Every structure is written in C-alpha cells, then in structure tokens.
Amino acid sequence: MLQTPAVSRSGDVPVENLTQFEYLALNSPLNLADGHARQELTPAQSKVIGELPDMFAEAAERPVAEIEREACDMFFTALGQRSHPSAGDRVLSCYSSSLAMEIYARSLVTGTDAIALIHPTFDNIPDILRGVGLRLVPVEEEQIHDADLTPELLASVGAVFVTTPNNPTGRVLGEERLRRLAEQCAEHDVVLTLDTSFRGFDPDAQYDHYEVLEASGCRWVVIEDTGKLWPTLELKIGWLAFSANAGLPLAKIHSDILLGVSPLILLLVRRFAADAAEGGLTDLHRFIAENRAVLRTRLADVPDTWFVDEHSRVSVDRLHVGSRLGLDVWSALRSHNLYALPCQKFHWARPSEGDHTLRIALSRSPLSIARAGQALRSVLLEDG
Ligand code: EGV
C-alpha cells in the first residue's frame, strides 16, 4: 500500500514519515516538531551534568548489573510503577524505546501474524510492526477507552498494542479500563502491549500498571522510555519489561542486537529520576502546563482554530486549523522558520483524518513557545 509522499512546497524532498518531518526541523532555532525534550536544564539537572566526570569514573568501576538495577528501580518508582519487575530479570535495557519496540516486534512475529494497534498513534510504531511482517488491525482510541474489545477482534490477533498516554492525543488508559483489557487479553491469550513513553507527564498514567497487569495473569509487554522527559541530548534508555509468561524470545533477540547499554547513561538516568522523585516531576508538570497555557492563550481569538485535546498533559498539543490544510499551514510556518508536525501520518490507517491538524511540541524554552505562538498567530490570521 504505497502512499504518495508528502512534498514540501519550497523544496521537493519527499517526506515519508513523521520522523523525516522532524529531521527537517532539527537545525532550525524554532523547532516545535519533535517530541524530544529541548528546554533548558533545571538547576538540579545542571548540577548532575556538572558531575559527569565523577559519574564516568563511578560507571567504570562498579558492576553494571548493580547500576542497571538501581536506574531501573529509581525510574519506574519515580513514575509510580512500584510493582515493576527488576532489571536483569524481566526488564531489558535498550538505547531507545524504538529499539525496544523493534526487539518486541521481531519476538512477537515468531508466534503470530497479526496485531491490533491503537489509531491514531506515532507512525514509527505501525512502521516497525509492519516492518517485521505483522498485519495491523486498527483500533480507534475511543473504542479502547469506551468499551470492551470484541471477541472477534481478540480472536483474530496475537497482541493488542496501546500507547498510553497516547501520542499525539495525550489520552490515558485509566486503571479500570486497563484491568478489563488485561482480563480480556488473558481470556483470549493475547499479549497486551503498552508503550508508556509519555507517562511521566501525566499523574493519571502513574498508577501502578504492573500491579494490574500481574493480577490479571495476562501475557504482557511494556515499553518504558526516559527519552521524552529530560533535555539530555538523546542520552536515554528504552526499557522492555515483560511478564514471566510472555512466551516471547525477547531476551534472545535483545542479545542478538546488543550486549548492554552504557552504564554512564544508566547512572545519568538514575540521578535524573531521583531528582524527578524529589520534586523535579512536579516542576516539569508545571513547566509544560505553563507552555501549553501560553500557546493556547496566544491563539485563543484566532478564528476557525482550536486545540483538540482539551485535557492533555503530555508535552505536545494538537491544533486544529479549521478549514485550512495542515500541510499549507506547515509550509507557511516553515517560511517563517517555524516547524511543527502535520498530523496525517499519525492516522496510519486513514491519513486524511489528520488533514487539518498540526502537532506542536511543548518541551521547549518558554521563549520559543512565545515566539512560535506569535508566528502561528500571524500565519493563521493571514490564512483565515
Ligand atoms: C515524537 C522518533 C524514531 C520519535 C519522535 C517521537 N524516533 N523515529 N525512532 O522519538 O513524538 O516526536 O516520538
């Protein structure tokens, strides 16, 4: 199923996925495209970075398994996941959550040929899953939140994959829904898979998921990510956690790809997670909420535009551009050197559903958000 690549107006570079849209923005001073954290370090985080030479020495000296266990415990616990399995047992460390997902996908395809996947969601998830030969069955986000999955759907797939909080909508799977979904997956012997990369931004996503999953008896896999939270210049860990009964060759395939991650990065994660637990996370929530408020206020009186995900707390916000085309607005913004993300490709099963929305990143300096708000405002008013 080939789709015509989106072509930028000013150049003719074909853009085949969301990440390629994000590449275009990487060197721009007003990059509000990718969901990575690019704001300034907080004073407490700067202090940790100042101690990197000592941390390097510590990482070189101590047993890596010990550092890995501490980093994993600290991170999972900071985000409310007290019942998590421990590293070295049923948590595998990866360089990134996309790598964790690739390892998951390669493992899953040994036992099934189909997976139900939340729609919309960030397009590298369907692309990675399709890349190993899985057939994807779209499940609407509303469907997952509002009711049980049908027995027909559950009988037709080997796994269900939910991004929670979802990217880009910010929608969180609540505890009761997770419990029910896990029960259904247990009943049908389907692997329940969660991508919780954005969980750090929303306290509603920080109830103890592992307690619910373990109690259900279902086969489960969870991909956790430190990569969206802190401005650590792509120094991050993706974690692949799984149930004792997962029945997938995750450890074998992980070992095919890597011996281990850097103990220096594990130490960095441990230190940033400790700071998060001691108030850093609350500060981050306030920071994102303020950026969101500045952006929304700046555009509040622009006709025929609105923010779609009213209650979202994640570090991105979707703007509906009304009757305008998202790609046209994206091009106009680009000529002001401001980059956002057109949303079609999040709607991996039906891209036209994203024709009129843009995703704006909020993990940026307040000054960038203010400037972007101003540029968006003038572009939308010209165009409206
Ligand atoms: C976001 C990009 C890839 C991803 C960006 C993202 N990574 N393609 N492996 O991290 O929301 O901007 O998730």
Side-chain angles (χ1 to χ4, degrees):
M1 224 179 46
L2 279 178
Q3 278 159 18
T4 319
V7 173
S8 64
R9 238 190 218 165
S10 45
D12 1 72
V13 193
V15 182
E16 293 169 295
N17 62 29
L18 290 168
T19 304
Q20 290 180 346
F21 272 104
E22 295 178 349
Y23 286 150
L24 295 176
L26 273 183
N27 297 302
S28 165
L30 264 187
N31 164 17
L32 271 64
D34 65 68
H36 294 199
R38 303 184 183 283
Q39 70 272 28
E40 281 164 19
L41 294 163
T42 65
Q45 290 170 345
S46 286
K47 186 162 174 287
V48 176
I49 297 301
E51 292 164 20
L52 275 174
D54 292 339
M55 291 163 64
F56 192 100
E58 183 185 345
E61 273 164 27
R62 293 179 53 203
V64 66
E66 199 178 287
I67 297 174
E68 189 171 34
R69 201 166 347 94
E70 287 176 6
C72 173
D73 280 349
M74 189 64 85
F75 182 76
F76 281 60
T77 309
L79 271 51
Q81 306 308 301
R82 276 168 295 278
S83 307
H84 71 89
S86 73
D89 180 13
R90 288 189 281 110
V91 180
L92 302 170
S93 307
C94 307
Y95 312 127
S96 72
S97 63
S98 298
L99 180 58
M101 202 166 332
E102 172 72 19
I103 291 167
Y104 160 77
R106 282 183 53 188
S107 305
L108 185 73
V109 78
T110 62
T112 183
D113 61 358
I115 181 167
L117 173 63
I118 191 167
H119 184 260
T121 202
F122 197 81
D123 70 349
N124 84 321
I125 301 173
D127 284 348
I128 287 172
L129 297 172
R130 270 197 287 249
V132 301
L134 289 162
R135 180 168 56 81
L136 308 188
V137 181
V139 188
E140 295 310 305
E141 186 182 81
E142 292 75 32
Q143 209 177 317
I144 291 169
H145 288 274
D146 297 348
D148 286 358
L149 299 181
T150 64
E152 294 73 37
L153 173 70
L154 288 161
S156 71
V157 296
V160 171
F161 193 114
V162 180
T163 315
T164 175
N166 199 11
N167 180 6
T169 68
R171 189 98 185 252
V172 172
L173 190 65
E175 183 162 358
E176 283 319 306
R177 281 309 308 153
L178 176 64
R179 197 181 314 282
R180 184 59 196 139
L181 189 57
E183 276 169 18
Q184 284 204 293
C185 288
E187 238 170 78
H188 289 83
D189 192 30
V190 160
V191 182
L192 179 54
T193 312
L194 305 178
D195 174 345
T196 60
S197 293
F198 282 84
R199 99 150 78 235
F201 294 105
D202 194 334
D204 288 350
Q206 293 169 21
Y207 63 88
D208 190 351
H209 287 47
Y210 294 93
E211 187 178 25
V212 176
L213 292 169
E214 288 289 37
S216 74
C218 78
R219 298 163 66 200
W220 57 262
V221 175
V222 180
I223 292 161
E224 304 264 357
D225 187 14
T226 76
K228 301 293 187 287
L229 279 181
W230 308 311
T232 46
L233 301 177
E234 311 297 339
L235 301 176
K236 59 192 176 183
I237 302 290
W239 267 301
L240 188 55
F242 53 94
S243 60
N245 64 353
L248 299 173
L250 294 162
K252 166 63 170 67
I253 292 177
H254 180 268
S255 76
D256 285 341
I257 295 174
L258 70 169
L259 175 58
V261 299
S262 162
L264 178 60
I265 297 177
L266 288 166
L267 274 185
L268 185 71
V269 164
R270 192 198 72 190
R271 295 289 302 275
F272 271 61
D275 173 63
E278 287 160 16
L281 208 52
T282 312
D283 291 345
L284 178 64
H285 296 163
R286 194 181 313 117
F287 178 82
I288 297 294
E290 281 169 12
N291 279 353
R292 178 174 267 114
V294 165
L295 183 69
R296 289 187 178 188
T297 306
R298 201 78 195 91
L299 301 181
D301 62 343
V302 177
D304 200 26
T305 57
W306 61 93
F307 287 91
V308 184
D309 307 300
E310 202 188 339
H311 304 292
S312 174
R313 300 180 74 176
V314 297
S315 59
V316 295
D317 215 6
R318 272 193 308 168
L319 178 68
H320 198 291
V321 292
S323 54
R324 310 164 188 89
L325 280 175
L327 264 182
D328 288 344
V329 178
W330 176 83
S331 297
L333 291 171
R334 193 183 184 192
S335 60
H336 287 63
N337 285 316
L338 167 61
Y339 287 81
L341 201 55
C343 286
Q344 284 109 324
K345 291 171 191 294
F346 285 99
H347 300 260
W348 54 271
R350 290 181 307 281
S352 65
E353 292 179 3
D355 279 351
H356 301 279
T357 45
L358 292 175
R359 195 194 74 172
I360 320 282
L362 298 174
S363 286
R364 299 295 188 270
S365 72
L367 185 62
S368 298
I369 299 292
R371 286 192 178 138
Q374 187 50 45
L376 261 163
R377 188 184 165 78
S378 46
V379 162
L380 290 166
L381 286 173
E382 272 167 31
D383 227 44

